[in-house]
Amino acid sequence: VDRRDAKLALAHVYVAFIALLLGGLAGLLQVFVRSGQFKLPAGIGYYQVLTVHGVLLGLILTTFFIFGFQIAGVSRTSGTFTDKQRLLGWIGFWLMTIGTVAAAVMVLLNKATVLYTFYAPLQAHWIFYLGLTLVVVGSWIGSAGQISRYVQWRKEHKGQTSPLLSFMVVVNNLLWFVASLGVAVSVLFQLLPWSLGLIERVDVLLSRTLFWYFGHALVYFWLLPAYMVWYVVIPKVIGGKVFSDSLARLSFMLFLIFSVPVGLHHQLTEPGIDTTWKFIQVVLTMAVVVPSLMTAFSLFATFELRGRELGGKGLFGWFKKLPWKDARFIVPFIGMLAFIPGGAGGIVNASYQMNQLIHNTIWVTGHFHLTFASAVVLTYFGAAFWLIPHLTGRKLTKSLNSLGIVSGVLWAVGMTIMSTAMHIAGLLGAPRRSDYSEYGGAQQAYDWIPYQIAQAVGGTILFIAILVITYIVIKLAWFAPKGEEEFPIASIHESSGPTPPMLENFKVWLVILVALIIFAYTIPIFDIISNSPAGSKGFKFW
Ligand code: HAS
């Protein structure tokens, strides 16, 4: 990657890892509070810490790491950015950073204790919403730079299949853009004028619906960069090839069309939305599982093909041949393993009847600590182990590689304890997002306590892992020996066959996406607006 592009990518990655350290610390405080053994000092509130945790890890770590990785990926596979494209990247970076600082200050002043979902009726200071708006607008500008580099490549290579990684980056940026329109509408027309006192009331159901229109696609915006690593990088790290270019592109296009029209599966217990539409979006949710199953299939095929090439015999002999001592492989692999129960839990969540049991319990927190905080985040860590030295012109030494494996194992142990405890306590009815409480001495609340203590144990191990990772990142950024670290990009397997041009026809897929969104959301939103009790004193519609 060109030095100038590397600088831009690194700026994003550094902010991401600062967010990891601070957000992780907030997580540690939370599990301590919930164990009932610890009280927050100096009047700091539980929900304030929970907001710090969710915003820094769910919104800031992710967006910044994803942009850093994507910029490097496009520059590596489509070519160095032009000055204009790079300028867009820097404008985006600074807007996002200023927005983050503004929002963070408001949370620290306890003026924006609204959790990472920030929907009404919780209200924050207007500077918090303005900060988030800057993060979103900055991300649009930054992604415009990446998309423009891909478009330039296609113009210069007419009739050729584009580089797989750049193609994937473009899909993820489009998904992000379409999804963030929902939250932009809610912030600009509801939350910001409401917190400025320009309107007296907002429609809570509409605010939640607009958030979840964005919110579920958001989780795939986090996931797709991990899938980029699984499809394109990991095969090279293990010495193999991409199993099928067409399958990889198809799975990304399916994510593009199915990620957005599924938000209602977060609102299955909410009154005010007709069950027919909930049912339709549950069906679409089951459709968005398909590209993940395709990914699992493709990964197994890649691993088996490579293992057999290396002489692995019998049904599982190939498995032993994989590079188990390479942190760049094993850390994301632990993430893949976590994604199996995490994804299965997602299917439980999406199943209407079972959702009644687990909704708003700490089971949901367990689910996204397996999917997001394990599958996705461990893949980001595994990628950072080669990405940072590649960008800084240093080497991942043997000892840092071993420390990387240690961090992955610590994560696996900590997360197994914490997430299992969360799933079980959730089935016993323990609420999510809840401060420690004995619920008036209710027996049921006592049954949760051992699991909350287990969560504190798991959370502590996770925080130790974060400290190890921070140490590795600092070493790789500034102190590891100078050298050249590879940016691994696998070539396509010979048996893959030609890629149908249809898979790169963005117009067709975007039309399908828009049609699905109109189908899944028009009537529910029309119903919400026409039944809205807000009105008399606020905007007529909102
Ligand atoms: Fe989810 C709630 C449904 C995936 C994140 N989810 C959340 C929340 C978050 C989140 C943050 O339907 C909480 C939001 C809040 O604050 O309220 N989720 C799903 C479904 C999937 C899913 C159906 N979620 C994710 C991913 C996330 C994420 C990915 C983050 C990155 N989720 C829900 C629902 C709710 C929900 C409801 C609302 C619950 C409620 O009531 O509030 C699917 O996409 C999952 C599909 C995945 C699979 C797994 C495939 C496995 C693979 C690994 C292969 C492994 C290999 C290695 C090859 C089917 C690809 C194997 C080697 C060996 C040796 C074995």
Side-chain angles (χ1 to χ4, degrees), residues 31-369:
V31 282
F32 282 173
V33 171
R34 279 188 77 120
S35 72
Q37 312 292 318
F38 173 79
K39 286 224 174 324
L40 287 165
I44 303 172
Y46 173 78
Y47 291 100
Q48 200 181 347
V49 176
L50 184 54
T51 307
V52 173
H53 180 65
V55 170
L56 283 183
L57 298 182
L59 304 179
I60 305 303
L61 158 75
T62 46
T63 314
F64 278 87
F65 185 84
I66 291 169
F67 272 64
F69 170 72
Q70 292 189 164
I71 289 163
V74 171
S75 175
R76 164 79 167 77
T77 54
S78 284
T80 303
F81 281 53
T82 61
D83 288 346
K84 233 191 210 158
Q85 289 156 353
R86 199 174 307 112
L87 180 66
L88 287 175
W90 279 113
I91 296 175
F93 170 78
W94 282 111
L95 283 180
M96 280 167 37
T97 307
I98 294 168
T100 302
V101 172
V105 168
M106 286 302 120
V107 177
L108 293 176
L109 292 175
N110 202 15
K111 298 226 178 286
T113 301
V114 290
L115 310 180
Y116 88 107
T117 36
F118 60 86
Y119 38 57
L122 295 176
Q123 192 188 50
H125 193 281
W126 61 269
I127 294 181
F128 174 81
Y129 299 121
L130 190 70
L132 290 185
T133 308
L134 289 180
V135 173
V136 172
V137 172
S139 70
W140 289 346
I141 296 175
S143 55
Q146 299 160 35
I147 294 178
S148 144
R149 186 64 194 86
Y150 165 84
V151 172
Q152 184 190 338
W153 189 98
R154 284 194 61 179
K155 277 194 190 136
E156 291 164 356
H157 301 81
K158 283 222 171 345
Q160 294 180 30
T161 308
S162 65
L164 182 55
L165 184 56
S166 288
F167 163 88
M168 291 170 153
V169 168
V170 172
V171 173
N172 202 30
N173 281 329
L174 291 175
L175 186 150
W176 170 248
F177 179 73
V178 175
S180 50
L181 286 176
V183 79
V185 169
S186 171
V187 169
L188 291 180
F189 293 102
Q190 292 193 295
L191 303 177
L192 205 48
W194 180 49
S195 68
L196 282 166
L198 299 176
I199 53 174
E200 195 182 319
R201 296 190 283 178
V202 289
D203 188 320
V204 170
L205 184 55
L206 184 59
S207 134
R208 290 171 63 90
T209 306
L210 288 170
F211 182 85
W212 285 120
Y213 163 98
F214 157 77
H216 199 77
L218 172 71
V219 312
Y220 295 116
F221 171 68
W222 302 334
L223 179 71
L224 291 193
Y227 275 16
M228 294 176 204
V229 174
W230 294 1
Y231 274 114
V232 179
V233 172
I234 293 292
K236 179 71 195 268
V237 169
I238 65 171
K241 294 190 171 162
V242 178
F243 170 65
S244 162
D245 184 81
S246 311
L247 183 146
R249 283 178 208 254
L250 178 62
S251 86
F252 268 62
M253 283 308 198
L254 292 178
F255 272 116
L256 180 63
I257 60 172
F258 288 128
S259 285
V260 183
V262 295
L264 291 190
H265 72 221
H266 289 263
Q267 298 175 275
L268 295 179
T269 56
E270 276 177 47
I273 301 173
D274 192 276
T275 39
T276 313
W277 296 101
K278 290 179 181 170
F279 170 74
I280 287 170
Q281 294 212 15
V282 160
V283 173
L284 289 168
T285 304
M286 295 305 167
V288 81
V289 172
V290 173
S292 281
L293 295 176
M294 287 163 61
T295 305
F297 171 77
S298 170
L299 288 168
F300 274 115
T302 308
F303 294 158
E304 185 178 348
L305 282 172
R306 180 61 186 152
R308 291 202 186 282
E309 250 172 44
L310 292 174
K313 297 265 177 305
L315 204 51
F316 294 113
W318 52 270
F319 190 69
K320 289 194 217 131
K321 299 281 174 188
L322 298 174
W324 296 111
K325 290 190 179 143
D326 189 338
R328 299 170 308 160
F329 167 68
I330 184 148
V331 175
F333 184 83
I334 295 171
M336 292 174 200
L337 286 183
F339 202 41
I340 297 173
I347 297 170
V348 168
N349 299 349
S351 307
Y352 206 120
Q353 289 80 351
M354 286 193 269
N355 184 272
Q356 311 299 307
L357 179 67
I358 54 82
H359 181 69
N360 262 346
T361 70
I362 201 160
W363 161 286
V364 176
T365 319
H367 159 69
F368 67 72
H369 278 82

